[in-house]
Short mmCIF file of all heavy atoms in Angstrom, two decimals:
data_model
loop_
_atom_site.label_atom_id
_atom_site.label_comp_id
_atom_site.label_asym_id
_atom_site.label_seq_id
_atom_site.Cartn_x
_atom_site.Cartn_y
_atom_site.Cartn_z
N HIS V 595 4.20 -7.27 -1.38
CA HIS V 595 3.56 -7.19 -0.06
C HIS V 595 3.54 -8.58 0.55
O HIS V 595 2.96 -9.51 0.00
CB HIS V 595 2.14 -6.65 -0.16
CG HIS V 595 1.40 -6.74 1.15
ND1 HIS V 595 1.81 -6.10 2.28
CD2 HIS V 595 0.28 -7.44 1.50
CE1 HIS V 595 0.99 -6.37 3.28
NE2 HIS V 595 0.05 -7.19 2.84
N CYS V 596 4.17 -8.71 1.70
CA CYS V 596 4.26 -10.00 2.39
C CYS V 596 3.12 -10.12 3.39
O CYS V 596 3.06 -9.38 4.37
CB CYS V 596 5.60 -10.11 3.10
SG CYS V 596 7.02 -9.80 2.00
N GLU V 597 2.21 -11.03 3.15
CA GLU V 597 1.03 -11.21 4.01
C GLU V 597 1.09 -12.60 4.63
O GLU V 597 0.95 -13.61 3.94
CB GLU V 597 -0.24 -11.05 3.18
CG GLU V 597 -1.53 -11.22 3.96
CD GLU V 597 -1.68 -10.18 5.06
OE1 GLU V 597 -1.45 -8.98 4.79
OE2 GLU V 597 -2.03 -10.57 6.19
N GLN V 598 1.31 -12.65 5.95
CA GLN V 598 1.45 -13.93 6.62
C GLN V 598 0.26 -14.28 7.50
O GLN V 598 0.19 -15.37 8.06
CB GLN V 598 2.73 -13.96 7.45
CG GLN V 598 2.64 -13.32 8.82
CD GLN V 598 2.69 -11.81 8.77
OE1 GLN V 598 2.98 -11.24 7.73
NE2 GLN V 598 2.40 -11.15 9.89
N GLU V 599 -0.70 -13.35 7.66
CA GLU V 599 -1.84 -13.62 8.54
C GLU V 599 -2.70 -14.76 7.98
O GLU V 599 -3.00 -14.80 6.78
CB GLU V 599 -2.70 -12.36 8.67
CG GLU V 599 -2.00 -11.20 9.37
CD GLU V 599 -1.70 -11.50 10.83
OE1 GLU V 599 -2.42 -12.33 11.43
OE2 GLU V 599 -0.74 -10.92 11.37
N SER V 600 -3.10 -15.65 8.86
CA SER V 600 -3.94 -16.77 8.42
C SER V 600 -5.35 -16.33 8.07
O SER V 600 -6.04 -16.97 7.30
CB SER V 600 -3.99 -17.85 9.52
OG SER V 600 -2.72 -18.42 9.71
N ASN V 601 -5.77 -15.20 8.68
CA ASN V 601 -7.10 -14.66 8.40
C ASN V 601 -6.98 -13.19 7.98
O ASN V 601 -7.34 -12.28 8.73
CB ASN V 601 -8.00 -14.78 9.63
CG ASN V 601 -8.28 -16.22 10.00
OD1 ASN V 601 -8.82 -16.98 9.22
ND2 ASN V 601 -7.88 -16.60 11.21
N PRO V 602 -6.46 -12.94 6.79
CA PRO V 602 -6.30 -11.56 6.34
C PRO V 602 -7.65 -10.87 6.17
O PRO V 602 -8.66 -11.52 5.89
CB PRO V 602 -5.58 -11.71 4.99
CG PRO V 602 -5.92 -13.08 4.54
CD PRO V 602 -6.02 -13.91 5.78
N LYS V 603 -7.67 -9.57 6.37
CA LYS V 603 -8.90 -8.81 6.23
C LYS V 603 -9.33 -8.73 4.77
O LYS V 603 -8.50 -8.75 3.87
CB LYS V 603 -8.71 -7.40 6.80
CG LYS V 603 -8.42 -7.38 8.29
CD LYS V 603 -8.22 -5.96 8.78
CE LYS V 603 -7.91 -5.93 10.28
NZ LYS V 603 -7.69 -4.54 10.77
N ARG V 604 -10.62 -8.61 4.57
CA ARG V 604 -11.12 -8.54 3.20
C ARG V 604 -10.70 -7.25 2.49
O ARG V 604 -10.76 -7.16 1.27
CB ARG V 604 -12.65 -8.67 3.18
CG ARG V 604 -13.40 -7.45 3.70
CD ARG V 604 -14.90 -7.67 3.68
NE ARG V 604 -15.64 -6.46 4.02
CZ ARG V 604 -16.04 -5.55 3.12
NH1 ARG V 604 -15.80 -5.76 1.84
NH2 ARG V 604 -16.68 -4.47 3.50
N THR V 605 -10.26 -6.25 3.27
CA THR V 605 -9.84 -4.97 2.69
C THR V 605 -8.36 -4.96 2.35
O THR V 605 -7.80 -3.89 2.12
CB THR V 605 -10.14 -3.83 3.68
OG1 THR V 605 -9.51 -4.11 4.94
CG2 THR V 605 -11.63 -3.64 3.88
N ILE V 606 -7.73 -6.12 2.29
CA ILE V 606 -6.30 -6.16 2.05
C ILE V 606 -5.91 -5.47 0.75
O ILE V 606 -4.89 -4.77 0.67
CB ILE V 606 -5.78 -7.62 2.06
CG1 ILE V 606 -4.26 -7.64 1.85
CG2 ILE V 606 -6.49 -8.48 1.04
CD1 ILE V 606 -3.65 -9.01 2.01
N SER V 607 -6.72 -5.62 -0.30
CA SER V 607 -6.38 -4.98 -1.58
C SER V 607 -6.40 -3.47 -1.44
O SER V 607 -5.55 -2.77 -2.01
CB SER V 607 -7.36 -5.43 -2.67
OG SER V 607 -8.70 -5.10 -2.34
N LEU V 608 -7.37 -2.94 -0.68
CA LEU V 608 -7.46 -1.50 -0.46
C LEU V 608 -6.26 -1.00 0.34
O LEU V 608 -5.69 0.06 0.05
CB LEU V 608 -8.76 -1.17 0.27
CG LEU V 608 -9.14 0.31 0.39
CD1 LEU V 608 -9.34 0.93 -0.98
CD2 LEU V 608 -10.40 0.46 1.22
N ARG V 609 -5.84 -1.78 1.34
CA ARG V 609 -4.69 -1.40 2.14
C ARG V 609 -3.40 -1.39 1.31
O ARG V 609 -2.56 -0.50 1.45
CB ARG V 609 -4.54 -2.37 3.31
CG ARG V 609 -5.63 -2.27 4.34
CD ARG V 609 -5.45 -1.04 5.21
NE ARG V 609 -4.34 -1.19 6.14
CZ ARG V 609 -3.78 -0.18 6.79
NH1 ARG V 609 -4.19 1.05 6.56
NH2 ARG V 609 -2.80 -0.39 7.64
N VAL V 610 -3.26 -2.37 0.45
CA VAL V 610 -2.06 -2.43 -0.39
C VAL V 610 -2.00 -1.22 -1.33
O VAL V 610 -0.95 -0.59 -1.49
CB VAL V 610 -2.03 -3.74 -1.20
CG1 VAL V 610 -0.95 -3.70 -2.28
CG2 VAL V 610 -1.77 -4.92 -0.26
N TRP V 611 -3.14 -0.88 -1.94
CA TRP V 611 -3.16 0.28 -2.83
C TRP V 611 -2.95 1.58 -2.05
O TRP V 611 -2.31 2.52 -2.55
CB TRP V 611 -4.47 0.33 -3.62
CG TRP V 611 -4.43 -0.55 -4.84
CD1 TRP V 611 -5.12 -1.71 -5.04
CD2 TRP V 611 -3.64 -0.33 -6.00
NE1 TRP V 611 -4.80 -2.23 -6.27
CE2 TRP V 611 -3.92 -1.40 -6.89
CE3 TRP V 611 -2.75 0.65 -6.41
CZ2 TRP V 611 -3.30 -1.52 -8.13
CZ3 TRP V 611 -2.14 0.55 -7.65
CH2 TRP V 611 -2.42 -0.52 -8.50
N GLN V 612 -3.47 1.66 -0.83
CA GLN V 612 -3.24 2.84 0.00
C GLN V 612 -1.74 3.03 0.24
O GLN V 612 -1.21 4.13 0.08
CB GLN V 612 -3.96 2.69 1.34
CG GLN V 612 -3.71 3.84 2.31
CD GLN V 612 -4.23 3.55 3.72
OE1 GLN V 612 -4.39 2.39 4.10
NE2 GLN V 612 -4.48 4.58 4.48
N TYR V 613 -1.08 1.96 0.60
CA TYR V 613 0.36 2.01 0.86
C TYR V 613 1.13 2.37 -0.40
O TYR V 613 2.06 3.19 -0.38
CB TYR V 613 0.80 0.65 1.39
CG TYR V 613 2.25 0.58 1.83
CD1 TYR V 613 2.71 1.31 2.90
CD2 TYR V 613 3.14 -0.27 1.17
CE1 TYR V 613 4.03 1.23 3.32
CE2 TYR V 613 4.47 -0.35 1.57
CZ TYR V 613 4.90 0.40 2.65
OH TYR V 613 6.20 0.31 3.05
N LEU V 614 0.72 1.78 -1.51
CA LEU V 614 1.40 2.03 -2.78
C LEU V 614 1.21 3.46 -3.25
O LEU V 614 2.15 4.12 -3.73
CB LEU V 614 0.89 1.04 -3.84
CG LEU V 614 1.60 1.03 -5.20
CD1 LEU V 614 3.11 0.93 -5.03
CD2 LEU V 614 1.09 -0.13 -6.04
N PHE V 615 0.00 4.01 -3.09
CA PHE V 615 -0.25 5.40 -3.50
C PHE V 615 0.55 6.38 -2.65
O PHE V 615 1.04 7.39 -3.14
CB PHE V 615 -1.74 5.72 -3.43
CG PHE V 615 -2.52 5.25 -4.63
CD1 PHE V 615 -3.73 4.60 -4.48
CD2 PHE V 615 -2.05 5.47 -5.90
CE1 PHE V 615 -4.44 4.17 -5.58
CE2 PHE V 615 -2.75 5.04 -7.02
CZ PHE V 615 -3.95 4.38 -6.85
N LEU V 616 0.67 6.09 -1.35
CA LEU V 616 1.48 6.96 -0.49
C LEU V 616 2.95 6.92 -0.91
O LEU V 616 3.63 7.95 -0.90
CB LEU V 616 1.32 6.53 0.97
CG LEU V 616 -0.01 6.89 1.62
CD1 LEU V 616 -0.12 6.25 3.00
CD2 LEU V 616 -0.19 8.40 1.74
N ALA V 617 3.42 5.75 -1.30
CA ALA V 617 4.79 5.64 -1.79
C ALA V 617 4.96 6.39 -3.11
O ALA V 617 6.00 7.00 -3.36
CB ALA V 617 5.18 4.17 -1.94
N LEU V 618 3.94 6.36 -3.95
CA LEU V 618 3.99 7.12 -5.21
C LEU V 618 4.01 8.62 -4.94
O LEU V 618 4.68 9.38 -5.66
CB LEU V 618 2.78 6.76 -6.09
CG LEU V 618 2.86 5.43 -6.84
CD1 LEU V 618 1.52 5.11 -7.49
CD2 LEU V 618 3.96 5.47 -7.90
N MET V 619 3.29 9.05 -3.90
CA MET V 619 3.35 10.46 -3.52
C MET V 619 4.76 10.86 -3.11
O MET V 619 5.26 11.92 -3.48
CB MET V 619 2.38 10.73 -2.37
CG MET V 619 0.94 10.89 -2.78
SD MET V 619 0.66 12.39 -3.76
CE MET V 619 1.14 13.65 -2.58
N GLU V 620 5.41 9.98 -2.36
CA GLU V 620 6.79 10.23 -1.95
C GLU V 620 7.70 10.33 -3.17
O GLU V 620 8.56 11.19 -3.27
CB GLU V 620 7.26 9.13 -1.02
CG GLU V 620 8.68 9.29 -0.50
CD GLU V 620 9.61 8.22 -1.01
OE1 GLU V 620 9.20 7.45 -1.90
OE2 GLU V 620 10.74 8.16 -0.54
N TYR V 621 7.49 9.42 -4.12
CA TYR V 621 8.30 9.42 -5.34
C TYR V 621 8.08 10.71 -6.13
O TYR V 621 9.03 11.32 -6.63
CB TYR V 621 7.95 8.21 -6.21
CG TYR V 621 8.82 8.08 -7.44
CD1 TYR V 621 9.98 7.30 -7.40
CD2 TYR V 621 8.51 8.75 -8.62
CE1 TYR V 621 10.79 7.19 -8.52
CE2 TYR V 621 9.32 8.64 -9.73
CZ TYR V 621 10.46 7.87 -9.68
OH TYR V 621 11.28 7.77 -10.79
N ALA V 622 6.83 11.14 -6.23
CA ALA V 622 6.51 12.36 -6.98
C ALA V 622 7.17 13.58 -6.35
O ALA V 622 7.64 14.48 -7.07
CB ALA V 622 4.99 12.55 -7.04
N GLU V 623 7.23 13.62 -5.02
CA GLU V 623 7.87 14.75 -4.35
C GLU V 623 9.38 14.76 -4.58
O GLU V 623 9.98 15.82 -4.73
CB GLU V 623 7.57 14.71 -2.86
CG GLU V 623 6.12 15.02 -2.51
CD GLU V 623 5.88 15.06 -1.01
OE1 GLU V 623 6.84 14.77 -0.26
OE2 GLU V 623 4.76 15.39 -0.61
N ASN V 624 9.97 13.59 -4.60
CA ASN V 624 11.42 13.49 -4.79
C ASN V 624 11.85 13.61 -6.24
O ASN V 624 13.02 13.89 -6.52
CB ASN V 624 11.94 12.16 -4.22
CG ASN V 624 11.94 12.14 -2.71
OD1 ASN V 624 12.03 13.18 -2.06
ND2 ASN V 624 11.80 10.96 -2.14
N HIS V 625 10.90 13.40 -7.17
CA HIS V 625 11.22 13.46 -8.60
C HIS V 625 10.15 14.30 -9.33
O HIS V 625 9.39 13.78 -10.14
CB HIS V 625 11.27 12.05 -9.21
CG HIS V 625 12.18 11.11 -8.47
ND1 HIS V 625 11.78 10.41 -7.35
CD2 HIS V 625 13.47 10.75 -8.70
CE1 HIS V 625 12.79 9.65 -6.93
NE2 HIS V 625 13.82 9.85 -7.72
N PRO V 626 10.09 15.59 -9.02
CA PRO V 626 8.99 16.43 -9.53
C PRO V 626 8.94 16.58 -11.05
O PRO V 626 7.89 16.91 -11.59
CB PRO V 626 9.26 17.79 -8.85
CG PRO V 626 10.71 17.78 -8.54
CD PRO V 626 11.05 16.35 -8.19
#
């Protein structure tokens, strides 16, 4: 995850996991 903001939000870890879990859902659908 490339984060260039000088003032990143404190919820950045939650956002990264949200994105990663959605990608895992995509993987699960493509590889049942």
Side-chain angles (χ1 to χ4, degrees):
H595 172 61
C596 307
E597 180 62 46
Q598 82 282 350
E599 295 294 334
S600 295
N601 295 301
K603 297 179 180 179
R604 72 182 187 90
T605 55
I606 182 173
S607 59
L608 189 62
R609 292 285 287 164
V610 168
W611 277 110
Q612 177 190 22
Y613 186 65
L614 187 50
F615 279 134
L616 286 172
L618 282 171
M619 280 293 298
E620 181 246 9
Y621 184 93
E623 290 184 356
N624 287 333
H625 307 84

